[in-house]
């Protein structure tokens, strides 16, 4: 028994437990987020006697007489100060880390009311953010300090939300104050908990599963195996090759495979019961790498074979062009597995609503979850209703189902609400990662540095299941040519199944890897010819009306040259400086169906936006509200954004491919056109109960289309990034100039750039996801994520260039922000020490872990 104070209220706790469990499960103080339960991420930060403390560390028995404050316990003025400051600074994206950041910031300001940026960064050093790059969080704390010192909250225009305004995101308040609901924040009457027994071997035959002992444990509601699945066992985002559970007689494919699902009254009982499930295996030799997968006589990961995908992209005569080139450079490059490390582990709550299953999820596409789950339950789609809750980061890692279908299965079989959440260790193992790639590139140029041709081969480890391995490989290949004007290009790409954790979508979608290779060769080629890396890019940069290596003629919105010009003043003044460019598609493209849909419903004098498109921190909801305010000339208070679901909102596709702002934004604009017509001579009150639909289907050509100038994608974003090192070899500054067409919310665009840069600084320098015999050995705290006190200056330059006749000119930016960072950093280190580096993370830098 311990007695202490929580937010001014005296409590007595009989059961000794982690403080986080008491605060969340008993007091339901859900601002205290559970990001890792390992003391490594800081999302659960609270104040204990004024000191910022991670609530997942102390036991309640050790808290006798202590005073604990969570975000819920802030004074009303403090709450308003933090909401305004973080909104004004643009500090909130996915929001999962934000309450912890607020409490760490309060702990500093209570003892140092006027801190420097360096002091703020140091105070936040134990709080990880994966979205923002910390720049705007530090600015938010500094602004909160000013407001708290002066005792006055600035006035803001809360109604002018037109296109191009840097407005406070619509979800700032609920995320700062911690009352916005992520799935793990949901508690329901009669709710049970579930978790999976995972495979003991990466490759083995399951000979028997014995569940009687687990079922007999008091508090266990059920133990389920593949035999209990009503419908199809296999799921998969594109290819249905992923086992919901491994059946007796079937083979495991990686250590994350589910063998059985245990459901019980508490998580403690679930974990105890999992240990009582007995599984007999016949271990088999695992396939640990693409080299092993492609070897003659290799064991088969899947019966279909070990090659998931082969992509061949060819235009012109690359071999002949290279043979005729004055200068030819060849290089072999490698990039590693990378873990998304979003702050919110995967979680879903499912329950029965009559004869329907409802899933409250955190994912990148509510309709995708529906389409995966319904066949598994043998239900029609309309009987599986999915609603997105707040999503605590995705970056591609939440495109595949992980817990959604399993929690739905338990709810369906037991009739009780079921919460299923991955532990951080499970998350690190289970969801698909960034593909490791080995790349062989050859670049030919004439005497002036004009590209003549490029040839390349890419080998990707796609892990145990397909996920999005095929499209990722395709994008890696189609973008490997770079954002330049030449037409002789040939690349072969191969994605091999192994028994490693699956690889799939990750910010950049394959382009992050091949950009490292082609941009590194561009820098090397500039040196050989005797011109600057900036000059070689300026000479070759794609310009409006010219052809990309894929044959597409680019439009007037093409702004690569403008991004080069934007960084030049900084580039010219720097001593140790590296440079890289990139392009990235906006929209799925390559002939695949890609449709945005939006419905505007007028209710009680307000316009309700319904679009089945996930907002995962990029700010889609705010974008759609700004579209409506601009098109309809209405104040912010007249617009209501409804969270994505499958029962009211029309399907607007996955949040992937930097597509939602452009594709769903255009669908919303079209719906606004219809509503605007209806409003002529009328008010919203006159239109009560009416709705207006907008749809936008892109028209693109498939790879290899027999047309002179195929349209691969409706739009591309372009970027130039430069890295400047100091005399100590550490990064002084990253300057990132990005062409976004039209910046809907410029401050949010800056935040996307800053976050993407810092994420790829980790990719370039520190992040590792080591595997030993197909088993990941990293914990969240050892992944090598950058912290607030480690980041350099990040200068985001937003380049706007009109010309795209979609979504009022807006081009998605979510992915490209991470693409050119690594080659720019690698080139800076070559300028610093003369060593060319061909693999990531870079070795021999001040950031290299000993």
């Amino acid at each position: 028994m311990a007695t202490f104070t929580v937010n001014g209220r005296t409590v007595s706790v009989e059961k000794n437990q982690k403080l986080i469990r008491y605060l969340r499960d008993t007091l339901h103080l859900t601002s205290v987020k559970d990001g890792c339960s390992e003391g490594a991420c800081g999302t659960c930060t609270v104040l204990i006697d004024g000191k910022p403390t991670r609530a997942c560390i102390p036991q309640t028995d050790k808290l006798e007489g202590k005073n604990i404050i969570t975000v819920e316990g802030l004074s009303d003025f403090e709450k308003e100060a933090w909401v305004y400051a973080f909104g004004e600074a643009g500090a909130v994206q996915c929001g999962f880390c934000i309450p912890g950041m607020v409490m760490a910031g309060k702990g500093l300001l209570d003892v140092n009311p006027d801190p420097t940026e360096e002091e703020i960064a140091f105070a936040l050093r134990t709080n990880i953010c994966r979205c923002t790059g910390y720049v705007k969080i530090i600015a938010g704390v500094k602004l909160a300090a000013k407001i708290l010192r002066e005792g006055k909250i600035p006035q803001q225009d809360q109604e002018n939300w037109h296109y191009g305004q840097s407005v406070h995101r619509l979800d700032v308040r609920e995320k700062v104050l911690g009352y916005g609901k992520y799935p793990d924040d949901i508690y329901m009457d009669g709710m049970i908990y579930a978790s999976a027994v995972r495979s003991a071997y990466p490759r083995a035959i399951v000979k028997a599963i014995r569940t009687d002992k687990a079922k007999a444990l008091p508090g266990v509601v059920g133990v389920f195996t593949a035999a209990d699945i009503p419908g199809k066992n296999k799921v998969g985002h594109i290819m249905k090759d992923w086992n919901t559970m491994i059946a007796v007689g079937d083979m495991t494919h990686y250590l994350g495979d589910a063998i059985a699902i245990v459901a019980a009254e508490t998580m403690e009982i679930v974990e105890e019961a999992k240990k009582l499930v007995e599984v007999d295996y016949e271990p088999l030799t695992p396939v640990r790498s693409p080299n092993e997968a492609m070897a003659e006589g290799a064991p088969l990961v899947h019966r279909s074979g070990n090659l998931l995908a082969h992509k061949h992209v060819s235009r012109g005569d690359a071999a002949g062009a290279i043979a005729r080139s004055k200068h030819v450079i060849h290089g072999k490059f490698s990039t590693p597995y990378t873990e998304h490390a979003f702050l919110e582990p995967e979680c879903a709550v499912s329950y029965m609503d009559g004869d329907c299953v409802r899933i409250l999820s955190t994912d990148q596409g509510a309709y995708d979850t529906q389409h995966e789950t319904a066949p598994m339950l043998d239900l029609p789609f309309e009987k599986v209703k999915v609603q997105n809750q707040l999503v605590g980061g995705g970056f591609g890692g939440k495109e595949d189902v992980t817990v959604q279908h399993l929690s739905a299965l338990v709810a369906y079989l037991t009739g009780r609400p079921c919460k299923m959440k991955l532990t951080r260790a499970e998350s690190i193992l289970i969801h698909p990662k960034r593909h490791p790639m080995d790349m062989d590139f050859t670049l030919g140029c004439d005497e002036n540095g004009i590209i003549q041709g490029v040839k390349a081969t890419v080998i990707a480890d796609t892990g145990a299941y397909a996920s999005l391995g095929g499209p990722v490989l395709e994008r890696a290949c189609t973008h490997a040519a770079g954002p330049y004007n030449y037409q002789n290009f040939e690349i072969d790409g191969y994605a091999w199944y192994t028994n490693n954790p699956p690889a799939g979508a990750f910010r950049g979608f394959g382009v992050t890897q091949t950009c490292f290779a082609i941009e590194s060769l561009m820098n090397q080629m500039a040196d050989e010819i005797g011109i600057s890396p900036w000059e070689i890019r300026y000479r070759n940069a794609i310009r409006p009306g010219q052809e990309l290596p894929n044959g597409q003629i680019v439009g007037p919105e093409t702004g690569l040259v403008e991004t080069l010009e934007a960084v030049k003043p900084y580039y010219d003044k720097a001593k140790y400086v590296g440079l890289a460019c990139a392009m990235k598609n906006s929209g799925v493209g390559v002939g695949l169906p890609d449709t945005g849909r939006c419905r505007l419903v007028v209710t009680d004098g307000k316009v309700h936006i319904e679009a089945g498109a996930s907002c995962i921190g990029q700010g889609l909801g705010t974008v759609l509200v700004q579209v409506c305010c601009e098109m309809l000339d209405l104040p912010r208070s007249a617009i209501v954004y409804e969270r994505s679901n499958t029962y009211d909102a029309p399907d607007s596709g996955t949040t992937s491919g930097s597509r939602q702002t452009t594709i769903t934004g255009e669908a919303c604009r079209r719906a606004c056109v219809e509503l605007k017509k209806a409003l002529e001579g009328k008010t919203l009150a006159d239109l009560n109960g009416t709705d207006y639909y907008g749809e936008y289907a892109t028209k693109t050509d498939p790879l290899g289309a027999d047309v002179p100038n195929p349209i691969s994608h409706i739009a591309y974003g372009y970027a130039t990034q430069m890295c400047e090192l100091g005399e100590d070899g550490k990064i002084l500054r990253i300057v990132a100039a990005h062409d976004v067409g039209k910046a809907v919310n410029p401050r949010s665009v800056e935040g996307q750039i800053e976050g993407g840069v810092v994420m790829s600084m980790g990719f370039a320098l520190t992040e590792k996801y080591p595997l030993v015999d197909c088993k990941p050995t990293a914990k969240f705290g050892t992944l090598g994520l950058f912290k607030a006190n480690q980041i350099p200056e990040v200068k985001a330059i937003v380049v706007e260039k009109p010309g795209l006749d979609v979504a009022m000119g807006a081009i998605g930016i979510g992915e490209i922000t991470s693409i050119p960072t690594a080659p720019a950093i690698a080139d800076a280190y070559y300028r610093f020490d003369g060593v060319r580096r061909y693999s990531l993370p870079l070795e021999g830098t001040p950031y290299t872990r000993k």
Side-chain angles (χ1 to χ4, degrees), residues 8-211:
R9 170 188 165 198
T10 300
V11 298
S12 295
V13 183
E14 292 188 8
K15 174 188 173 185
N16 186 33
Q17 58 194 290
K18 290 287 182 71
L19 175 59
I20 187 175
R21 299 275 42 103
Y22 176 70
L23 295 176
R24 288 185 57 82
D25 300 339
T26 301
L27 300 185
H28 290 177
L29 296 172
T30 53
S31 75
V32 186
K33 304 300 181 192
D34 185 2
C36 72
S37 294
E38 298 171 357
C41 75
T43 61
C44 64
T45 299
V46 299
L47 297 186
I48 300 181
D49 289 345
K51 181 182 178 181
T53 305
R54 286 156 284 180
C56 66
I57 296 175
Q59 298 279 345
T60 54
D61 274 6
K62 305 294 186 182
L63 298 176
E64 181 68 35
K66 300 288 186 182
N67 180 39
I68 295 158
I69 300 176
T70 71
V71 166
E72 291 88 346
L74 298 178
S75 71
D76 290 344
F77 181 76
E78 284 179 307
K79 289 177 180 178
E80 294 305 317
W82 285 103
V83 168
Y84 177 87
F86 273 38
E88 182 66 18
V92 178
Q93 291 188 29
C94 90
F96 198 80
C97 74
I98 294 299
M101 293 286 184
V102 168
M103 296 314 294
K106 174 179 167 55
L108 170 66
L109 300 187
D110 283 349
V111 297
N112 181 0
D114 191 10
T116 64
E117 289 186 4
E118 290 74 18
E119 289 169 331
I120 294 169
F122 185 77
L124 301 179
R125 69 193 181 283
T126 58
N127 292 63
I128 299 293
C129 178
R130 199 66 165 150
C131 295
T132 69
Y134 304 105
V135 176
K136 289 184 171 15
I137 292 178
I138 293 169
V141 176
K142 193 165 184 63
L143 179 54
K146 181 176 185 291
I147 293 170
L148 292 167
R149 287 195 312 272
E150 296 176 355
K152 183 179 179 181
I153 295 172
Q155 294 296 310
Q156 59 169 314
D157 182 357
Q158 299 184 10
E159 294 293 359
N160 180 14
W161 271 48
H162 290 276
Y163 229 53
Q165 294 293 118
S166 287
V167 301
H168 295 202
R169 289 190 181 201
L170 58 84
D171 50 12
V172 165
R173 176 173 293 273
E174 62 180 326
K175 288 177 174 177
V176 170
L177 300 183
Y179 64 81
K181 289 284 191 285
Y182 301 83
D184 194 30
D185 298 330
I186 295 167
Y187 292 84
M188 301 178 70
D189 291 341
M191 188 171 78
I192 57 177
Y193 299 82
S195 181
V197 175
R198 303 285 171 177
S199 178
Y201 299 92
R203 185 168 178 267
I205 302 293
V206 175
K207 306 297 286 185
I209 306 171
R210 291 182 292 280
T211 62

Side-chain angles (χ1 to χ4, degrees), residues 592-814:
L592 296 173
D594 189 13
T595 303
R597 300 178 180 90
C598 181
R599 181 183 294 111
L600 303 179
V601 180
V602 182
T603 305
D604 297 329
K606 294 190 176 185
V607 178
H608 292 249
I609 302 171
E610 294 179 349
S614 294
C615 182
I616 63 173
Q618 82 279 34
L620 176 65
T622 302
V623 165
L624 298 183
V625 171
Q626 289 186 260
V627 170
C628 290
C629 288
E630 177 72 22
M631 289 294 299
L632 303 173
D633 196 24
L634 290 172
R636 164 70 184 98
S637 57
I639 313 294
V640 178
Y641 171 67
E642 303 288 355
R643 204 154 284 149
S644 170
N645 63 69
T646 61
Y647 41 87
D648 289 327
D651 186 0
S652 202
T654 309
T655 294
S656 180
S658 303
R659 60 181 295 281
Q660 291 295 5
T661 290
T662 304
I663 308 299
T664 302
E666 172 63 11
C668 184
R669 187 197 68 81
R670 293 183 177 198
C672 286
V673 170
E674 300 304 312
L675 175 52
K676 191 170 184 178
K677 290 177 188 174
L679 271 171
E680 291 178 6
K682 295 182 179 179
T683 68
L684 286 176
D686 298 327
L687 300 178
N688 193 52
T690 60
D691 64 87
Y692 306 87
Y693 179 73
E695 180 173 307
Y696 172 57
T698 64
K699 291 188 174 76
T700 57
D701 298 307
L703 280 182
D706 188 18
V707 293
N709 296 105
I711 299 173
S712 290
H713 299 279
I714 60 148
Y716 293 93
Y718 297 91
T720 302
Q721 292 186 6
M722 58 154 272
C723 169
E724 179 184 358
L725 303 182
E727 293 294 341
D728 61 355
K730 289 192 173 182
I731 299 175
L732 276 178
R733 174 196 287 163
I734 302 276
V735 179
H738 284 259
D739 162 37
V740 299
K742 173 65 177 177
V744 182
N745 187 331
R747 195 178 299 121
S748 281
V749 173
E750 289 174 2
Q752 287 280 288
I753 295 170
E754 291 155 0
V757 164
V758 172
M759 180 176 276
S760 258
M761 281 174 52
F763 178 56
L765 294 164
T766 57
E767 291 187 34
K768 291 188 177 181
Y769 181 82
L771 295 171
V772 177
D773 292 329
C774 306
K775 180 179 181 178
T777 59
K779 293 185 176 182
F780 194 83
T782 65
L783 287 169
L785 310 177
F786 266 88
K787 298 179 180 180
N789 63 326
Q790 297 173 317
I791 63 167
E793 177 190 351
V794 180
K795 181 165 184 60
I797 301 175
V798 179
V799 175
E800 295 187 279
K801 190 170 184 187
L804 181 67
D805 190 25
V806 177
M808 292 179 275
I811 300 170
I813 193 177

Side-chain angles (χ1 to χ4, degrees), residues 168 440 525 577 656:
H168 295 202
D440 190 316
M525 182 65 79
V577 60
S656 180

Side-chain angles (χ1 to χ4, degrees), residues 364-382:
Q364 294 183 223
Y367 276 91
D368 292 331
T369 294
Q370 180 195 56
H371 294 161
E372 298 265 14
T373 304
M376 187 267 296
L377 295 177
D378 197 25
L379 291 174
F381 288 143
E382 64 270 16

Side-chain angles (χ1 to χ4, degrees), residues 262-402:
V262 175
E265 302 290 348
T266 69
M267 270 309 299
E268 291 87 350
I269 298 172
V270 169
E271 292 302 323
E272 189 177 349
K274 282 168 62 176
K275 297 172 186 174
L276 299 177
V277 176
E278 298 171 341
V279 186
D280 293 342
Y281 297 95
E282 178 188 331
L284 302 171
T285 302
V287 178
R288 295 167 295 187
S289 69
N291 284 338
E292 291 184 3
M294 68 179 77
E296 187 174 349
L300 295 183
V301 178
H302 291 274
R303 292 185 178 92
S304 59
N306 288 345
L307 182 64
L308 166 66
H310 171 223
K311 303 293 180 182
H312 180 74
V313 180
S314 180
R315 188 171 180 84
D317 177 17
I322 291 169
R324 294 187 295 272
S325 294
K326 172 80 172 175
H327 301 277
V328 177
I329 293 180
H330 169 257
K332 294 184 177 181
F333 301 84
S334 66
T335 59
Y337 264 108
T338 319
E339 158 66 17
H340 299 74
F342 33 71
L343 270 294
E344 179 210 23
E346 297 87 335
C347 183
V349 175
S350 299
Y351 63 97
M352 297 304 298
D353 180 9
D355 61 350
C356 294
V357 179
R358 285 189 178 265
I359 305 173
L360 307 176
S361 70
T362 175
D363 56 36
Q364 294 183 223
Y367 276 91
D368 292 331
T369 294
Q370 180 195 56
H371 294 161
E372 298 265 14
T373 304
M376 187 267 296
L377 295 177
D378 197 25
L379 291 174
F381 288 143
E382 64 270 16
K383 296 295 184 183
V384 177
K385 298 183 177 182
V386 183
Q387 180 173 18
N388 261 66
Q389 306 303 291
L390 292 178
V391 180
F395 318 116
K398 290 179 180 172
E399 291 197 41
D400 301 83
V401 291
T402 50

